């Protein structure tokens, strides 16, 4: 509303200029790309929601990028302002065409010349497909809504079979190019195709329409709620708003990554850069866009279509930088709009590789990747992992932050590798170069995006590997054992592979809480030690089975003195350990982590079961607590004392 006050002086008054009223009747702001709205569109929680929805709809984990249709906010004015603005709610409609090709072909760009010819072709709009694949519509409520048709909210029909009924039992109707892409639904629909039917058939169709319209309900919601509906859902705007509250909402443009949508967002970006209207009706809002390169990170611009804008502007049939890998012709598409690794990362003098397998190094960012990774940030970067594994690692980083563990903000950005990563690895160890070269070649050959790889980027952590830390210092620094315990529990709970001293980083060794006593709180010992879990890849089914016991040493052996500190942390802080396990159990793990029920057996037994929590809750000097500590810190590969192994 403040933005409207700024743009339309006196718009609330009865004598407001007519053009101002007309542009506000739809309830849209004068420009949708406000800073606050962009922040909402690209909020990490919106991306997480989109992945969960797409995963549910496709029946398997969705790991790809979430593209963004830059949406707008909408206001349903309350009376009496509503009447003065002559604002009405959206008529009942469906955001899809039941009579278009089914299922939707998402593997090729929308053919605008065919479906939107300059000379109108009768009946063409009846079967015109949607120009983008948008499985769900959604908005974030900016104000409370009491519910009901007269409270300024939105209604959805409970008739879930209505769309399929239209598609299979009726001829096209409710379609008009002047209304845009939607299909309107009236109690008594008209049109030549329906008039040609018998009176009985027309009556049955009218009854079905009336039933679906009567089933529209207007749910209540609170500010901050997200309302989501399938594109096949019949829905409508409010009939009125007598609530006394201007009902506001912010639409969310979540799109799955496929050739159809990449072309759609490419057109979007090209129009925005050219100052052309990219969204909605001409009277709804203008779109004079400035400073998108400043407002959006490179990754956000990619998701909004920057990668494909050049091809669209050139008249190419595809804006897809990975078109060849999708079985489509590239039509002259160039990878020039795809960021190269050298465009993203600056290599300080003396940079070397960090490993013999993936391309890894400590670099500085040339461009911002997110609010938490601005330009100039010293970062760790890794190329060579499969997209699913990179996404798994990004999820682990987010979950560690939720638990209050040591965590560095992580981000994934696709880029074309041009840096000689093998040469960097060879600087550290000549034997590493060939391994990195082979790894990148294999990853490129398997990549779903032609000539691109996902780069896993995270803030650099100033520390050393646990395997390189002085054993006695690590074992005796107050709080170090408890921090290590949390990392080991986390890695076991999420089924992370190769837990060993090389995949954990530590800093702050030799420090305590400041008075040398190693004081503690209900959450565990107060400590300056930080231990970061790194190289987080999902364990295979075989690896999970091999580490099925209670021991937290799920892979390579960790020094007994260090594990002794872990055991002591369990017996000295049982309440805090129980609290952390409960926090693990309370995590909302995405399907990408739990796919196929891979962790069900892990979570059902010690140390994550109720029996373990009972022992920890009892605390004290009970023998059961000491036994639990020994089991969790034990080396499962060490033979039991006094038992001879067969030769």
């Amino acid at each position: 509303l403040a933005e409207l006050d700024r743009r339309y002086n006196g718009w609330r008054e009865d004598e407001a200029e007519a053009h101002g009223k007309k542009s506000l009747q739809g309830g849209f702001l004068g420009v949708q790309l406000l800073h606050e709205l962009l922040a909402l569109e690209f909020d990490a929680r919106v991306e997480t929601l989109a992945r969960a929805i797409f995963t549910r709809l496709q029946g398997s984990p969705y790991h790809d990028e979430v593209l963004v249709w830059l949406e707008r906010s909408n206001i349903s004015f309350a009376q009496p302002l509503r009447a003065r603005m002559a604002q009405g709610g959206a008529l009942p409609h469906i955001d899809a065409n039941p009579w278009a090709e089914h299922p939707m072909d998402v593997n090729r760009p929308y053919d605008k010349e065919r479906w939107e010819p300059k000379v109108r072709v009768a009946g063409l709009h009846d079967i015109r497909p949607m120009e983008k694949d948008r499985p769900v519509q959604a908005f974030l409520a900016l104000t409370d809504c009491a519910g009901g048709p007269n409270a300024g909210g939105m209604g959805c029909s409970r008739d879930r079979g209505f769309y399929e009924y239209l598609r299979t039992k009726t001829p096209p109707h409710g379609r008009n190019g002047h209304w845009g892409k939607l299909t309107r639904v009236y109690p008594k629909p008209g049109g030549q195709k329906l008039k040609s039917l018998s009176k009985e058939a027309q009556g049955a169709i009218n009854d079905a329409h009336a039933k679906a319209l009567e089933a529209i309900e207007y749910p209540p919601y609170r500010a901050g709620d997200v309302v989501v509906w399938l594109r096949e859902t019949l829905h409508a705007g409010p009939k009125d708003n007598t609530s006394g509250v201007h009902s506001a909402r912010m639409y969310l443009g979540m799109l799955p990554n496929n050739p159809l949508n990449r072309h759609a967002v490419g057109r979007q970006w090209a129009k925005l850069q050219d100052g052309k209207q990219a969204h909605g009706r001409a009277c709804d809002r203008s779109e004079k866009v400035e400073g998108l390169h400043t407002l959006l990170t490179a990754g956000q611009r990619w998701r909004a279509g920057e990668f494909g804008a050049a091809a669209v502007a050139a008249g190419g049939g595809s804006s897809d930088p990975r078109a060849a890998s999708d079985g489509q012709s590239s039509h002259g598409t160039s990878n020039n709009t795809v960021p190269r690794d050298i465009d993203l990362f600056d290599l300080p003098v003396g940079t070397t590789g960090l490993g013999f397998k993936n391309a890894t190094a400590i670099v500085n960012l040339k461009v911002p990747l997110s609010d938490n990774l601005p330009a100039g940030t010293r970062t760790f970067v890794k190329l060579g992992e499969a997209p699913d594994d990179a996404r798994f690692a990004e999820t682990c980083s987010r979950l560690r932050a939720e638990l209050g563990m040591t965590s560095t903000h992580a981000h994934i950005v696709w880029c074309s590798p041009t840096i000689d990563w093998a040469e960097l690895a060879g600087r550290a160890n000549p034997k590493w170069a060939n391994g990195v070269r082979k790894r990148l070649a294999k990853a490129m050959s398997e990549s779903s995006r032609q000539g691109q790889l996902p780069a896993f980027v995270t803030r650099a952590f100033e520390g050393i590997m646990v395997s390189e830390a002085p054993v006695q210092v690590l074992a005796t620094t107050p709080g170090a054992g408890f921090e290590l315990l949390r990392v080991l529990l986390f890695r076991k709970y999420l089924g992370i592979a190769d837990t060993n001293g090389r995949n954990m980083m530590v800093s702050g060794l030799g420090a305590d809480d400041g008075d040398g006593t190693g004081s503690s709180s209900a959450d565990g010992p107060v400590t300056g030690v930080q231990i970061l879990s790194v190289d987080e890849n999902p364990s295979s089914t075989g690896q999970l089975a091999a580490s099925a016991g209670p021991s937290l040493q799920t892979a390579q052996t960790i020094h007994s003195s260090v594990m002794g500190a872990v055991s002591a942390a369990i017996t000295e802080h049982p309440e805090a350990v129980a609290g952390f396990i409960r926090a693990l159990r309370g995590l909302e793990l995405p399907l990408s982590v739990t796919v196929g029920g891979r962790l069900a057996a892990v979570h059902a037994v010690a140390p994550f079961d109720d029996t373990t929590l009972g022992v920890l809750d009892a605390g004290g000097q009970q023998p059961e607590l000491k036994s639990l500590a020994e089991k969790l810190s034990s080396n499962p590969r060490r033979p039991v004392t006094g038992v001879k192994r067969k030769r």
Side-chain angles (χ1 to χ4, degrees), residues 512-570:
D512 55 31
D513 64 332
D515 60 9
T517 62
S519 61
S520 63
S521 69
D523 295 324
V526 177
T527 179
V529 176
Q530 290 186 313
I531 299 182
L532 177 69
S533 174
V534 300
D535 202 12
E536 294 168 322
N537 290 314
S539 297
S540 66
T541 302
Q543 289 171 327
L544 288 174
S547 60
S551 174
L552 298 178
Q553 297 193 63
T554 57
Q556 291 82 6
T557 300
I558 300 174
H559 197 283
S560 59
S561 296
V562 175
M563 292 308 296
V566 170
S567 177
I570 297 172

Side-chain angles (χ1 to χ4, degrees), residues 356 422-437:
F356 62 89
E423 192 272 334
L424 290 179
R427 293 180 188 177
N429 187 327
K431 296 180 179 179
W432 290 359
N434 195 44
V436 170
R437 188 177 295 109

Side-chain angles (χ1 to χ4, degrees), residues 407-484:
S407 183
T408 54
H409 184 79
H411 186 84
I412 295 173
V413 58
W414 285 78
C415 60
S416 296
T418 58
I419 296 172
D420 192 343
W421 296 98
E423 192 272 334
L424 290 179
R427 293 180 188 177
N429 187 327
K431 296 180 179 179
W432 290 359
N434 195 44
V436 170
R437 188 177 295 109
K438 288 182 177 179
R439 178 76 169 194
L440 290 180
K442 183 176 185 293
M444 289 288 283
S445 68
E446 297 175 349
S447 176
S448 60
R449 300 188 188 181
Q450 187 179 31
Q452 299 178 62
L453 290 177
F456 176 78
V457 185
T458 183
R459 277 184 177 270
F461 179 78
E462 303 300 333
I464 60 174
M465 290 188 293
V466 166
S467 60
E468 296 178 346
V471 172
Q472 290 307 314
V473 175
L474 180 61
T476 58
T477 299
F482 184 79
E483 288 303 304
L484 182 58

Side-chain angles (χ1 to χ4, degrees), residues 307-604:
F307 65 88
V312 171
S318 171
S319 60
D320 178 9
R322 60 172 183 175
S325 65
D326 284 323
Q328 306 296 320
S329 171
S330 66
H331 298 288
T333 297
S334 168
N335 273 349
N336 291 338
T337 56
V338 176
R340 302 173 302 170
D341 52 7
I342 194 64
D343 300 323
L344 302 174
F345 311 124
D346 177 56
L347 278 59
V349 175
T351 298
T352 64
L354 301 177
F356 62 89
K357 185 171 63 172
N358 291 300
T360 53
I362 301 295
V363 301
N364 297 325
L365 289 182
K366 289 184 176 180
V367 298
L369 295 184
S370 70
D371 291 341
N372 294 308
L373 290 171
T377 302
R378 188 168 183 266
T379 59
F380 166 83
V381 62
K382 179 198 291 186
L383 288 86
E385 296 282 18
D388 288 359
D389 291 343
R391 186 70 63 186
F392 181 89
E394 183 186 43
T395 299
C396 288
S397 178
R398 175 178 59 81
L399 293 175
R400 279 188 277 106
E402 287 184 20
L403 291 166
M405 300 174 64
T406 300
S407 183
T408 54
H409 184 79
H411 186 84
I412 295 173
V413 58
W414 285 78
C415 60
S416 296
T418 58
I419 296 172
D420 192 343
W421 296 98
E423 192 272 334
L424 290 179
R427 293 180 188 177
N429 187 327
K431 296 180 179 179
W432 290 359
N434 195 44
V436 170
R437 188 177 295 109
K438 288 182 177 179
R439 178 76 169 194
L440 290 180
K442 183 176 185 293
M444 289 288 283
S445 68
E446 297 175 349
S447 176
S448 60
R449 300 188 188 181
Q450 187 179 31
Q452 299 178 62
L453 290 177
F456 176 78
V457 185
T458 183
R459 277 184 177 270
F461 179 78
E462 303 300 333
I464 60 174
M465 290 188 293
V466 166
S467 60
E468 296 178 346
V471 172
Q472 290 307 314
V473 175
L474 180 61
T476 58
T477 299
F482 184 79
E483 288 303 304
L484 182 58
L485 170 63
R486 294 207 302 168
V487 170
L488 294 175
L489 284 168
F490 177 83
R491 291 182 70 100
K492 187 176 181 74
Y493 191 78
L494 268 71
I496 299 173
D498 298 329
T499 296
N500 57 58
R502 293 183 298 278
N503 289 335
M504 294 179 283
M505 303 286 291
V506 60
S507 70
L509 286 180
D512 55 31
D513 64 332
D515 60 9
T517 62
S519 61
S520 63
S521 69
D523 295 324
V526 177
T527 179
V529 176
Q530 290 186 313
I531 299 182
L532 177 69
S533 174
V534 300
D535 202 12
E536 294 168 322
N537 290 314
S539 297
S540 66
T541 302
Q543 289 171 327
L544 288 174
S547 60
S551 174
L552 298 178
Q553 297 193 63
T554 57
Q556 291 82 6
T557 300
I558 300 174
H559 197 283
S560 59
S561 296
V562 175
M563 292 308 296
V566 170
S567 177
I570 297 172
T571 57
E572 294 171 6
H573 307 284
E575 180 182 355
V577 176
F580 184 72
I581 291 175
R582 287 192 171 92
L584 285 171
R585 289 173 35 156
L587 289 175
E588 292 187 12
L589 299 180
L591 187 56
S592 58
V593 173
T594 62
V595 59
R598 60 184 289 270
L599 298 177
V602 175
H603 295 171

Side-chain angles (χ1 to χ4, degrees), residues 111-131:
D111 191 342
K112 186 173 183 178
E113 291 185 1
R114 175 186 177 187
W115 296 110
E116 300 179 40
K118 295 182 179 179
V119 179
R120 183 178 179 183
V121 177
L124 186 64
H125 189 68
D126 288 345
I127 58 173
R128 172 181 169 181
M130 304 304 289
E131 62 181 12

